[in-house]
């Protein structure tokens, strides 16, 4: 019993709280991202995501636990891919592009909404420690959402940007690109570990987030 008391006293509760809020922010951003993919596909005529209960704001339906761990330890991660059947689309390539683009766009919109809430709190809420913690959570989540949206716009399979790029490629080039989709995640992990392009991505995230902040505040 004494051992457990000493262990509890040694825990950094503030760090644990920050980590918990970080996990919640990740769940929020990934859930909105994946649900938006499924919703876009559904509006374009594909019921696959809906039939598999992926039009849900329950994060447990979308979280890939290994992908979540990679986000914390490597710097990027992923959720369970939303199932999409392009045969339901009138134009499969364009339908896939719109469905793919819905995820990053939803993250940018989410970031804007979170900053709007921050602006409202800044104008009308009285200061308290609890509200300040919530305010900072919203700010951190908005940065994370912008990062997730921009990262997914990279034209590397299987990221959303590759499907958007594919919409303007000739069919032969499109199928050639999709052939290498299974190797894309390995490439991303290697690039992340080597920190190749990380500086440019961070600059882009900072620029977009600052632009949103300036517009709203």
């Amino acid at each position: 019993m004494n051992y457990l008391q000493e262990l509890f006293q040694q825990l950094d509760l503030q760090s644990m709280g920050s980590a918990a809020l970080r996990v919640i922010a990740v769940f929020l951003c990934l859930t909105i991202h994946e649900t938006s993919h499924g919703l876009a596909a559904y509006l374009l005529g594909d019921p696959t995501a809906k039939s598999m209960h992926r039009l849900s704001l329950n994060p447990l339906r979308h979280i890939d636990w290994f992908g979540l761990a990679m986000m914390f330890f490597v710097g990027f991660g992923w959720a369970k891919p939303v199932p999409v059947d392009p045969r339901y689309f009138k134009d499969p390539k364009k339908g896939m592009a719109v469905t793919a683009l819905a995820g990053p766009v939803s993250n940018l919109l989410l970031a804007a909404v979170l900053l709007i809430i921050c602006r409202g709190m800044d104008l009308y809420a009285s200061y308290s420690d609890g509200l300040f913690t919530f305010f900072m959570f919203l700010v951190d989540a908005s940065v994370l959402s912008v990062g997730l949206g921009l990262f997914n716009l990279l034209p590397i399979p299987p990221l959303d940007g590759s499907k958007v790029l594919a919409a303007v490629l000739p069919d032969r080039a499109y199928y050639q690109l999709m052939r290498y989709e299974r190797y894309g995640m390995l490439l991303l992990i290697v690039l992340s570990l080597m920190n190749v392009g990380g500086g440019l991505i961070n600059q882009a995230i900072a620029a977009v987030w600052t632009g949103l902040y300036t517009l709203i505040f």
Side-chain angles (χ1 to χ4, degrees), residues 27-205:
F27 278 14
L28 173 64
C29 297
L30 287 178
T31 298
I32 294 298
H33 183 101
E34 296 302 328
T35 301
S36 297
H37 282 317
L39 182 60
Y42 179 72
L43 294 175
L44 290 171
D46 177 16
T48 308
K50 182 179 181 181
S51 67
M52 299 183 70
H53 308 290
R54 295 296 302 274
L55 299 187
S56 171
L57 294 178
N58 178 359
L60 297 180
R61 295 193 180 276
H62 304 289
I63 296 300
D64 179 305
W65 295 104
F66 181 67
L68 180 65
M70 292 293 289
M71 178 171 287
F72 285 99
F73 294 110
V74 178
F76 81 95
W78 56 87
K80 295 177 183 176
V82 170
V84 177
D85 188 344
R87 292 175 297 180
Y88 286 102
F89 300 146
K90 293 181 179 179
D91 186 327
K93 286 173 62 176
K94 290 183 179 178
M96 286 297 295
V98 171
T99 299
L101 194 60
V105 169
S106 72
N107 283 126
L108 297 178
L109 292 176
L110 174 62
V113 169
L114 295 177
L115 287 175
I116 289 172
I117 296 173
C118 288
R119 178 58 172 163
M121 292 176 63
D122 183 53
L123 289 174
Y124 303 113
S126 300
Y127 177 86
S128 71
D129 290 342
L131 283 179
F132 178 74
T133 298
F134 182 59
F135 182 93
M136 293 308 301
F137 164 75
L138 294 178
V139 171
D140 290 342
S142 69
V143 175
L144 179 63
S145 195
V146 169
L148 181 63
L150 294 185
F151 178 77
N152 271 279
L153 286 176
L154 294 175
I156 302 174
L159 298 181
D160 299 326
S162 66
K163 297 177 177 62
V164 176
L165 173 64
V168 299
L169 293 177
D171 288 343
R172 183 175 180 180
Y174 169 79
Y175 291 117
Q176 189 72 15
L177 178 65
M178 290 300 104
R179 282 181 58 190
Y180 295 99
E181 183 171 10
R182 56 184 172 177
Y183 303 112
M185 195 59 70
L186 178 60
L187 174 62
L188 289 170
I189 292 174
V190 172
L191 291 177
S192 180
L193 291 174
M194 297 177 63
N195 197 30
V196 176
L200 291 175
I201 294 175
N202 289 335
Q203 290 177 22
I205 293 171

